[in-house]
Amino acid sequence: MRTGEPATPRALHLTSAFLVVAALATTLLQLVLLPLVLLPADPRWGWLLLPTVLLTTPYWSLVHEAIHGLLLPDGRWNDRCARLLALGYGAPFALLKTGHLLYHRYSRTERERTEVYGPAARSRAGVAVGYHLRLLGGLYLLEVASVLLAALPGALWRRLARRLDGPDSVAGLLLDGVRRRHLRAFRWDSAAIVLGHGAAVVAYGRHAWLLFAAVAGRALLVSVADNAYHYGTELDRPLEAMNLRLPRFLELFVLAFNLHGVHHRHPGLPWHRLRAAFQADGDRLHLGWFAAVARQLRGPIPAGSGEQHDPGGGGRPGGGHSAGGRAGAARRAPGPPRPEPVRAEPGPVRLASG
């Protein structure tokens, strides 16, 4: 199915179900079949972990679809599959969903602008250490480490959320949102992650370093891609993000996640409709995906430095700063369309109990 072509609802539902089954099969391969069946027969089977690492982005794209309630038409099955996918990903779905909705609400504001640091920072060098640790795997490892919070009583969650809350972070809001609405589900999923991955480490035995290497690869891919769509872009514009160029077969492979600007303006659209929305909006591609990832290595940017801009050479896609933008603006006269609203609050995360 191409990302710009219509398809019947039945075909779309079958496609989603197939993708979920395929993704869960990679988790089964990684955590069960390889250590218990294949590696004891021949250590060269360990090379199968490489494609599981390379599938990190489409795997996350499926979790992302579920976060927005778009993976499956039935809400309960959407969330059940999402929780299973998140177990394989390595972090509880309640945390991932609450955090992602906060990201949509506060993107490019003072609370959520990864590479930008304010005047309170002691030095750029000090900021750069934490920035590069986050960029090169730290973000994913923090998500995984969140399972340790499951052992804390609710009172300590409340205290920790208050301590971490501040005008330049969503961490306090994230912990408070999970504590107030989803702590029970978070604890169950955290226990499943610890038991499942811990048993896998034991099963791998002397080959456990292969599993750790695969986790390190996933950590790198998740972390370097996370802010690539926003690095150096204008501040205080939560609905804006870059669309990054990929060959069309790779766009299909990552479930159109590269069309991130379209997603921010239309968060209610499933992945297979993003390309059509991109064309209908007269949108444009800002940078190549690999160039956008690499430019983050320039390091953190001081607030008010004037370095935040549209790296594609224009303003808001469709906003009149480029030929495509002027054409798109003319088609939408007298004003831009109202995007699907991003929820003002993280809102209750609908989690199936079984």
Side-chain angles (χ1 to χ4, degrees):
M1 180 179 60
R2 297 181 181 177
T3 56
E5 292 184 352
T8 65
R10 177 178 172 80
L12 295 174
H13 299 162
L14 289 175
T15 299
S16 294
F18 171 79
L19 291 174
V20 170
V21 171
L24 294 176
T26 65
T27 298
L28 184 67
L29 171 67
Q30 184 182 60
L31 301 183
V32 179
L33 292 180
L34 265 172
L36 294 181
V37 179
L38 299 177
L39 284 176
D42 190 335
R44 288 176 293 183
W45 282 112
W47 284 104
L48 283 179
L49 285 171
L50 181 58
T52 69
V53 173
L54 297 178
L55 287 168
T56 292
T57 299
Y59 195 106
W60 165 250
S61 295
L62 290 174
V63 177
H64 178 257
E65 287 289 295
I67 285 172
H68 288 280
L70 302 170
L71 182 60
L72 295 172
D74 183 276
R76 288 179 63 84
W77 277 107
N78 180 87
D79 292 341
R80 285 169 177 163
C81 289
R83 290 180 71 176
L84 287 175
L85 289 169
L87 297 183
Y89 177 83
F93 181 62
L95 179 99
L96 297 174
K97 181 167 185 174
T98 304
H100 188 74
L101 294 178
L102 285 168
Y103 150 79
H104 267 283
R105 179 181 179 184
Y106 291 107
S107 179
R108 304 313 288 164
T109 68
E110 188 177 1
R111 280 189 183 271
E112 179 64 63
R113 47 189 193 185
T114 301
E115 82 283 7
V116 179
Y117 64 95
R122 294 181 180 178
S123 68
R124 185 181 187 278
V127 173
V129 173
Y131 168 83
H132 283 99
L133 286 175
R134 182 189 190 278
L135 177 68
L136 299 177
L139 171 65
Y140 174 78
L141 295 179
L142 282 174
E143 291 175 341
V144 171
S146 71
V147 300
L148 301 176
L149 298 174
L152 300 182
L156 282 182
W157 274 75
R158 186 182 301 110
R159 190 177 306 170
L160 186 59
R162 289 174 180 171
R163 177 176 289 273
L164 293 177
D165 192 28
D168 60 348
S169 172
V170 297
L173 298 176
L174 172 59
L175 293 184
D176 190 56
V178 173
R179 177 191 65 82
R180 287 188 290 113
R181 300 185 180 101
H182 319 297
L183 190 53
R184 185 169 181 266
F186 178 90
R187 284 173 170 159
W188 277 109
D189 290 356
S190 295
I193 289 168
V194 171
L195 291 175
H197 287 76
V201 171
V202 173
Y204 269 88
R206 63 189 178 90
H207 299 297
W209 68 271
L210 292 171
L211 181 61
F212 292 131
V215 171
R218 172 176 288 180
L220 178 63
L221 289 179
V222 168
S223 301
V224 299
D226 179 72
N227 195 50
Y229 306 93
H230 301 282
Y231 181 91
T233 59
E234 295 180 63
L235 302 180
D236 299 315
R237 301 180 75 170
L239 295 184
E240 300 305 327
M242 291 190 290
N243 300 309
L244 301 181
R245 187 180 302 105
L246 278 176
R248 290 297 288 272
F249 77 94
L250 285 180
E251 179 176 307
L252 184 63
F253 177 71
V254 301
L255 306 187
F257 204 80
N258 58 307
L259 301 179
H260 209 61
V262 182
H263 168 66
H264 267 251
R265 295 194 306 280
H266 306 286
L269 287 181
W271 69 271
H272 50 81
R273 292 177 58 190
L274 294 179
R275 171 55 67 169
F278 173 88
Q279 295 168 340
D281 286 353
D283 216 330
R284 61 195 175 87
L285 298 168
H286 298 80
L287 287 172
W289 188 89
F290 296 98
V293 168
R295 68 198 290 268
Q296 298 176 98
L297 294 174
R298 299 174 185 174
I301 299 172
S305 65
E307 295 183 49
Q308 291 83 30
H309 61 282
D310 180 351
R316 179 187 186 276
H321 292 276
S322 65
R326 288 191 294 272
R331 285 195 297 272
R332 294 191 297 271
R338 295 177 63 187
E340 291 90 337
V342 178
R343 294 162 66 178
E345 295 292 340
V349 181
R350 199 174 63 254
L351 294 173
S353 58

